[in-house]
Amino acid sequence: MTTTPLLLLVLLLTSADAVFRFASYYGDHMVLQQKPARAVVWGYAEMGALVTVTLKRGIDTISKTPVNVYGDVGVWKVVLDPMDYGGPYYLIAQQTFKNNITTIVLEDVLFGDVWVCGGQSNMEMTVSQIFNASQEMALAAQYPYVRLFTASLETSDTELLDLTKVDLEWSLPTPENLGHGDFQYFSAVCWIFGRHLAQKLKYPIGLVESVWGGTPVEAWSSKTALSKCGLSLTPTENKRCYNFMERYAGPCDYSVLWNAMIHPLLNMTIKGAIWYQGEQNTVTNPSLYNCTFPALIQDWRRSFHEGSLGQTDPNFPFGFVQLSTYIKTQPKDNYPLIRWHQTADYGYTPNPKMPNTFMAVAMDLGDESSPYGSVHPRDKQTVAYRLYLGAQAIAYGDHRIPFQGPFPETVDIYYNYSYMNITYNQELLITRTCDDIFEVLCSSGIDLYGESLYSWVPAPAQSPSSKVVTVAFKGCSHILAVRYAWSDWPCDYKQCPIYSVRGRLPAPIFVKYFE
Ligand SMILES: *[C@@H]1O[C@H](CO)[C@@H](O)[C@H](O)[C@H]1NC(C)=O
Ligand SMILES: *[C@@H]1O[C@H](CO)[C@@H](O)[C@H](O)[C@H]1NC(C)=O
Ligand SMILES: *[C@@H]1O[C@H](CO)[C@@H](O)[C@H](O)[C@H]1NC(C)=O
Ligand SMILES: *[C@@H]1O[C@H](CO)[C@@H](O)[C@H](O)[C@H]1NC(C)=O
Ligand SMILES: *[C@@H]1O[C@H](CO)[C@@H](O)[C@H](O)[C@H]1NC(C)=O
Ligand SMILES: *[C@@H]1O[C@H](CO)[C@@H](O)[C@H](O)[C@H]1NC(C)=O
């Protein structure tokens, strides 16, 4: 009998405590964005309460900010002063409500750069799934200032205020959470990218993984981004995606992952984002990807800027991996098309439609015997390193760093010699013969009605000088176009024919149509 009131009191206390808290992605060991931006911190409290947010280093108070609680669910939000990198700090929130004072203390909070890692299963592959996994996991202890966070896999029909669940609360890297399980946490590409940054920059790096395998770009796009490409929301069908060698297929409905896994994060101040996605779009609206992907970047940038009250750069650096390979014997699938569309059809980044972006080429990193299916190559070290080169140049302004493979600058056709000269923008490292990696769209005759018949034919190439490749088209009376590496699996592992002398970076896929 006497236990009833006690039980009631306990319930009341628990529910009262549950109201006052930080949002899901603030916790011990976290990294907040350093200056010049200001970190945004928010949480929940009782309506009508007063909340004070204090930042302390040891016993020194760095800042103390009182805020009001507002909105339907009782939310408070502060924008901290710009902070130099470093730590650890205490981040303390105190609620005063009807003379009751409740305090929450977050410990070991650091300032540094926060990167969001997004995409599908190739970003989701954990450190335990890649080559040299045990060596990689043993490195964890050397990077105590790289901090990891992973959002849970959730969908929603509406834009959520907060993550409904978290898979990995802010943590220090350990072998256990770098290799928690296949396609769980922590992302190998995200981690290796982050540890390179930490080693170079010598300050804390926060990595926020929000990823789901087998998902199309449309699932990660807001209604606004989709509408830019003529797509509109359809009622959610809880549709699973077409499953092609992905371990499992993720949700295919438009915006459902934007709603549940990205929208909640908009209120955090971030430095930038990296992205490894596109495999699913070889079978979902492939010909729209040259619109949907640039639209996602633009929309994420605008939204993170707005959601952080202007603190996240509206043009924040965005890095991505150009698709690797899928099936060696299937040259005619949409892999080359998506690779091309990933650059908004420019072939390289940054470009006028995709400013402040950087790309890691991966078509030379195929892995036919990957135990996770050939769509999941295990060399994530090279992928992450190439992203890191791009980040140094684009995100950190180190313009001496080579981060782009060679790209054609001019193409001169000499019909009288039956060849063309392709002049690249930098010195070439030719590693093998180029018998069939170039193709020309060639007319070798006319049909019954006198129309030219065009077809793609291999065009042998060689490099007579450091920046020029000469592509022969004997037997073609006219040519319409030339392309390079236009197939699912153009090269064996690290064996594409054309790399850069500076940095040994592969020449990306290329196509050019002539007038
Ligand atoms: C303050 O909290 C206590 C429990 O700690 C509770 O019994 C009391 O009702 C609260 N007071 C107000 C004014 O809410
Ligand atoms: C995108 O590519 C498709 C072919 O896949 C083409 O028809 C379309 O014009 C391109 N759109 C843009 C915006 O470049
Ligand atoms: C976070 O930002 C989004 C987008 O601007 C906004 O809709 C939402 O209300 C913000 N949430 C909080 C807690 O301020
Ligand atoms: C794995 O380790 C070996 C030996 O250190 C090294 O040669 C190789 O490049 C590493 N592989 C990757 C993908 O990093
Ligand atoms: C072939 O064309 C090029 C460029 O138009 C010209 O420079 C060259 O003299 C021509 N050679 C012959 C053998 O006609
Ligand atoms: C094509 O390029 C090579 C190497 O630079 C050069 O020697 C050759 O003269 C060029 N051909 C023409 C017709 O200009």
Side-chain angles (χ1 to χ4, degrees), residues 373-499:
S374 60
V375 76
H376 297 125
R378 283 167 293 172
D379 180 356
K380 294 293 191 258
Q381 284 88 342
T382 307
V383 167
Y385 185 73
R386 288 175 183 171
L387 279 174
Y388 159 65
L389 293 178
Q392 283 180 85
I394 298 294
Y396 296 99
D398 190 343
H399 300 296
R400 297 162 310 174
I401 303 288
F403 70 103
Q404 296 161 307
F407 201 76
E409 230 161 29
T410 55
V411 179
D412 297 300
I413 306 175
Y414 305 110
Y415 276 104
N416 58 352
Y417 295 130
S418 294
Y419 71 67
M420 69 182 86
N421 271 354
I422 301 180
T423 306
Y424 281 79
N425 61 358
Q426 54 178 307
E427 283 194 290
L428 308 177
L429 181 72
I430 306 292
T431 62
R432 63 167 170 88
T433 55
C434 299
D435 287 339
D436 51 13
I437 199 160
F438 283 96
E439 294 169 290
V440 290
L441 191 49
C442 162
S443 160
S444 51
I446 49 170
D447 67 11
L448 291 172
Y449 311 98
E451 296 283 327
S452 295
L453 290 169
Y454 285 94
S455 59
W456 286 105
V457 296
Q462 43 180 297
S463 177
S465 77
S466 65
K467 288 187 176 178
V468 176
V469 169
T470 296
V471 179
F473 52 83
K474 276 212 172 56
C476 304
S477 54
H478 192 246
I479 52 168
L480 274 185
V482 60
R483 66 190 188 186
Y484 171 74
W486 202 271
S487 68
D488 176 322
W489 203 300
C491 329
D492 285 333
Y493 183 69
K494 293 198 176 171
Q495 296 289 312
C496 278
I498 306 179
Y499 288 83

Side-chain angles (χ1 to χ4, degrees), residues 165-311:
K165 261 175 72 196
V166 172
D167 272 359
L168 180 67
E169 304 279 357
W170 280 104
S171 303
L172 275 70
T174 61
E176 162 59 21
N177 57 34
L178 288 179
H180 180 75
D182 292 353
F183 301 104
Q184 295 190 18
Y185 53 81
F186 193 78
S187 158
V189 171
C190 190
W191 156 250
I192 299 170
F193 175 77
R195 75 158 163 79
H196 280 306
L197 286 180
Q199 184 160 29
K200 166 85 183 194
L201 300 166
K202 312 234 180 306
Y203 58 68
I205 299 291
L207 300 173
V208 176
E209 174 180 351
S210 186
V211 178
W212 195 329
T215 52
V217 71
E218 291 83 354
W220 298 99
S221 303
S222 74
K223 196 175 147 195
T224 314
L226 292 169
S227 69
K228 293 233 167 77
C229 305
L231 294 172
S232 49
L233 286 184
T234 48
T236 304
E237 296 167 6
N238 293 319
K239 215 161 55 188
R240 286 283 146 169
C241 272
Y242 168 75
N243 182 346
F244 62 118
M245 277 177 71
E246 298 262 6
R247 265 293 151 105
Y248 52 96
C252 233
D253 291 307
Y254 295 176
S255 295
V256 291
L257 303 177
W258 158 264
N259 289 339
M261 295 176 68
I262 300 299
H263 187 267
L265 301 175
L266 299 179
N267 315 97
M268 161 173 56
T269 313
I270 63 167
K271 170 74 180 178
I274 57 170
W275 173 260
Y276 194 162
Q277 190 278 335
E279 296 87 343
Q280 190 64 48
N281 284 98
T282 63
V283 292
T284 308
N285 298 332
S287 60
L288 281 181
Y289 203 78
N290 50 1
C291 183
T292 47
F293 182 44
L296 171 133
I297 296 173
Q298 210 178 21
D299 188 62
W300 277 29
R301 283 175 171 165
R302 186 189 50 80
S303 305
F304 272 95
H305 178 67
E306 278 177 20
S308 64
L309 303 174
Q311 293 308 313

Side-chain angles (χ1 to χ4, degrees), residues 43-60:
Y44 309 87
E46 298 285 355
M47 285 305 294
L50 178 71
V51 173
T52 304
V53 177
T54 307
L55 189 67
K56 281 191 167 206
R57 182 155 199 175
I59 53 165
D60 297 333

Side-chain angles (χ1 to χ4, degrees), residues 42 70 75 77 161 263 266-267 306-307:
W42 69 277
Y70 63 91
V75 160
K77 195 164 171 178
L161 190 63
H263 187 267
L266 299 179
N267 315 97
E306 278 177 20

